[in-house]
Amino acid sequence: MHGWMSSVSVWKVGVDVISIEQDRDLGNLTTFGVPARCRFFAAPGSVSELTELLHWARRRELAWLVLGEGSNVLFTADHPGLVIRLRIGGIDFRVGDNGEVLVSAGAGVNWHTLVETCLAHGAHGLENLALIPGSVGAAPVQNIGAYGVELGDRLDYLEALDVETGQVVTMTAEECRFGYRDSIFKQALAGSHIITGGVRRLSERPDPVVHYPSLAAYLREQQIEPSSANVFRAVCEIRRGKLPDPGLIGNAGSFFRNPVVSRARHEALRQQFMSRFGELPGFPAESEEQVKIPAAWLIEKAGWKGYREGDAGVHARQALVLVNHGDASGEQIARLAGRIADGVEALFGVRLEREVTVL
């Protein structure tokens, strides 16, 4: 028992008045839906409210955590401090030179809503990232990507609150040090900067990216013209077909990152397992000397697809997705994830890394 008393209070925090809940249930704020609570919870709607809230937490020596839409988080315990959910909104469009469209959005905007809104306003370039769950503020942290496009390809700059100084700093895409599901916000600036908004550089002229194998195959099989709108619809259909709806079964999408190995290592694995499993799939990585192996393939061949321990399990159609069948705890899901990683490493000698943040 944590001993906190449930309540909702209105606090005068600096010059702002902010509603702060005590002993808040976090289960409905994460897509895994596992039981967890936090001591305090607040949803600031501006940078000034966020700044004052952090001062409030610091004076009480409270740990704090920024939670986006909870689509990439697994709680294995209650949070003893303050959980913050940003409500900074707004989407604005500005036409630049040579057909460029600069789109700014607040950190609290739903990511898919941004993609839809951009397409409706004739701003092209984000359609491959449709239906990725989460918020605009969380997207750069792990450099979301899908079907041949990564956020880092489209970001012009973002704004982040320096927690120590209380100043909002502007950072270019290069300064964000984007990598495969990685950024400076998971590394050097983890815990010291909070993304509050950003600007994406899109285009008035459609230039669909359709080289990703599964997307190209879908368009070809359905005999669909590769326009921006059609790519958007195709990506939505593909994602809905292979990824379970968190509203129906708790999950956080892809639980593991696709491992990246050298070309020599990939060829050695291909030769070793050809007779047993057939062709070992691989896709180009950032470096020409590296290959990305689908984690779902490794997990399935290691025998985990559809596996279930109590209410913690692996999805029957997509081995990369761990699910909560109803009453699984975060600890049970995390433990299963560890067993899967161990099993894949024992068979293939390749260690899987989590994409989901385990708290």
Side-chain angles (χ1 to χ4, degrees):
M1 297 291 292
H2 48 62
W4 307 328
M5 183 178 295
S6 298
S7 66
V8 179
S9 303
V10 176
W11 295 72
K12 183 72 162 60
V13 179
V15 298
D16 297 302
V17 177
I18 302 176
S19 175
I20 300 178
E21 297 181 51
Q22 189 167 348
D23 188 24
R24 169 64 187 260
D25 180 11
L26 298 172
N28 64 351
L29 295 181
T30 67
T31 56
F32 259 122
V34 298
R37 308 187 77 82
C38 64
R39 186 177 178 187
F40 295 104
F41 175 85
S46 67
V47 174
S48 64
E49 285 187 3
L50 172 61
T51 303
E52 296 294 349
L53 191 61
L54 291 172
H55 288 325
W56 179 89
R58 187 178 294 117
R59 289 194 299 270
R60 288 158 178 78
E61 298 183 343
L62 292 171
W64 54 268
L65 169 72
V66 175
L67 182 69
E69 296 194 356
S71 59
N72 200 48
V73 172
L74 175 65
F75 280 100
T76 60
D78 293 336
H79 190 276
L82 170 68
V83 169
I84 300 169
R85 190 168 197 178
L86 296 179
R87 292 187 298 105
I88 302 172
I91 303 175
D92 295 301
F93 296 84
R94 179 165 59 89
V95 178
D97 299 329
N98 302 317
E100 289 182 339
V101 183
L102 300 178
V103 184
S104 61
V109 173
N110 173 270
W111 175 260
H112 183 67
T113 297
L114 174 64
V115 176
E116 283 186 309
T117 305
C118 286
L119 202 57
H121 281 74
H124 306 271
L126 295 182
E127 46 275 2
N128 296 58
L129 305 181
L131 220 60
I132 295 179
S135 64
V136 166
V141 176
Q142 67 163 8
N143 187 23
I144 61 171
Y147 303 102
V149 174
E150 290 186 336
L151 174 62
D153 303 330
R154 302 290 184 257
L155 188 76
D156 189 26
Y157 66 88
L158 57 73
E159 294 175 336
L161 176 68
D162 184 325
V163 174
E164 187 62 32
T165 67
Q167 300 299 309
V168 174
V169 298
T170 298
M171 301 177 62
T172 65
E174 183 178 3
E175 290 171 325
C176 292
R177 300 181 193 170
F178 290 125
Y180 171 56
R181 301 299 175 270
D182 197 16
S183 73
I184 196 171
F185 302 101
K186 292 180 84 171
Q187 306 296 335
L189 299 187
S192 69
H193 287 65
I194 299 172
I195 297 168
T196 57
V199 172
R200 277 130 291 269
R201 187 180 294 273
L202 306 182
S203 176
E204 288 185 305
R205 294 186 289 272
D207 186 20
V209 177
V210 296
H211 64 265
Y212 196 83
S214 60
L215 175 59
Y218 182 91
L219 294 172
R220 184 172 58 252
E221 291 165 5
Q222 300 296 321
Q223 299 183 341
I224 296 174
E225 182 73 21
S227 66
S228 295
N230 286 339
V231 167
F232 172 86
R233 284 190 286 267
V235 167
C236 289
E237 285 298 313
I238 295 170
R239 290 186 69 89
R240 289 189 180 110
K242 74 175 188 177
L243 295 174
D245 183 352
L248 301 177
I249 184 168
N251 74 91
S254 302
F255 197 92
F256 297 101
R257 297 169 56 178
N258 292 323
V260 177
V261 301
S262 68
R263 287 194 174 275
R265 177 67 177 143
H266 180 266
E267 179 59 23
L269 288 169
R270 192 184 76 81
Q271 295 288 346
Q272 181 180 354
F273 292 101
M274 173 72 78
S275 60
R276 183 174 174 183
F277 297 131
E279 190 62 44
L280 172 66
F283 302 101
E286 291 181 7
S287 166
E288 292 185 359
E289 300 305 314
Q290 295 179 313
V291 177
K292 194 181 300 180
I293 302 176
W297 188 91
L298 297 172
I299 295 168
E300 179 176 351
K301 298 308 179 185
W304 293 99
K305 188 175 182 180
Y307 182 82
R308 180 170 176 170
E309 288 180 355
D311 276 353
V314 181
H315 196 258
R317 294 201 312 272
Q318 174 50 265
L320 196 53
V321 178
L322 271 60
V323 296
N324 175 9
H325 286 285
D327 294 317
S329 69
E331 219 175 339
Q332 289 171 323
I333 294 172
R335 191 162 51 244
L336 174 58
R339 292 188 59 204
I340 292 170
D342 290 343
V344 167
E345 185 173 25
L347 179 59
F348 295 103
V350 176
R351 186 69 186 180
L352 296 180
E353 296 181 9
R354 295 191 301 254
E355 185 171 320
V356 170
T357 300
V358 177
L359 300 169

